[in-house]
Amino acid sequence: MIGQIFNAKEFTTKLKATIQSTGKLGFTAETISQLSLNTDCSIVIAPDSDDNHILYMGVCRSLQDNAFAVLKSGIYFYLNTKQLFDRLGINYSRATVMFDLSRFEEGDSELGAECYKMTMRTNMHKKNDDKN
């Protein structure tokens, strides 16, 4: 017997977030849409106990005291995470730091919110070698 057909969109959606040069965590339009982010939401963030390149993000559907408020600028949503990333030693000023997000249902109960695994990728900025 054939089971339910897999929805290809579920496996091709690229959920991403990037640390801006100001330390804010910004979300792509696709991520904003898929996670239904709005300014009524807040986000909790927790580290992985074994891998410092992984964080977990819990999307709360209301404002929580221990969570980052989701803020909006134009059509984009972001979190004020500068102090967090500074404490974690993430050098977002010398590198582009991005996170690939994937749904992690196992973390829902621990975070008390819809959990996403945040896998960090870093691209170092190239030095400007102008010889004017």
Side-chain angles (χ1 to χ4, degrees):
M1 179 169 188
I2 297 175
Q4 182 178 1
I5 296 173
F6 291 113
N7 181 349
K9 289 182 182 179
E10 183 180 335
F11 299 101
T12 58
T13 301
K14 294 181 181 170
L15 303 178
K16 297 191 182 313
T18 302
I19 303 176
Q20 308 300 322
S21 61
T22 58
K24 296 175 183 175
L25 184 65
F27 300 96
T28 63
E30 190 169 12
T31 301
I32 293 165
S33 176
Q34 283 292 124
L35 274 55
S36 300
L37 294 179
N38 61 63
T39 55
D40 294 330
C41 297
S42 58
I43 293 180
V44 293
I45 297 176
D48 185 272
S49 58
D50 297 322
D51 188 338
N52 63 358
H53 287 90
I54 295 175
L55 297 172
Y56 295 94
M57 175 179 90
V59 179
C60 307
R61 298 296 162 197
S62 62
L63 300 176
Q64 305 292 318
D65 287 340
N66 66 335
F68 294 93
V70 175
L71 303 170
K72 185 176 183 185
S73 177
I75 62 170
Y76 296 101
F77 291 86
Y78 67 92
L79 308 177
N80 277 331
T81 48
K82 180 182 181 347
Q83 291 181 2
L84 170 68
F85 294 135
D86 287 348
R87 179 179 289 176
L88 293 174
I90 297 173
N91 194 349
Y92 53 84
S93 63
R94 297 193 64 198
T96 300
V97 182
M98 297 160 284
F99 294 96
D100 295 316
L101 308 177
S102 58
R103 185 71 171 95
F104 189 70
E105 291 179 15
E106 297 87 347
D108 288 2
S109 61
E110 197 169 342
L111 292 184
E114 187 177 289
C115 184
Y116 291 84
K117 183 177 184 179
M118 303 172 65
T119 305
M120 187 185 322
R121 289 187 292 128
T122 304
N123 292 327
M124 294 304 292
H125 293 165
K126 293 183 180 180
K127 291 184 180 180
N128 188 355
D129 291 329
D130 287 340
K131 297 178 182 178
N132 299 11

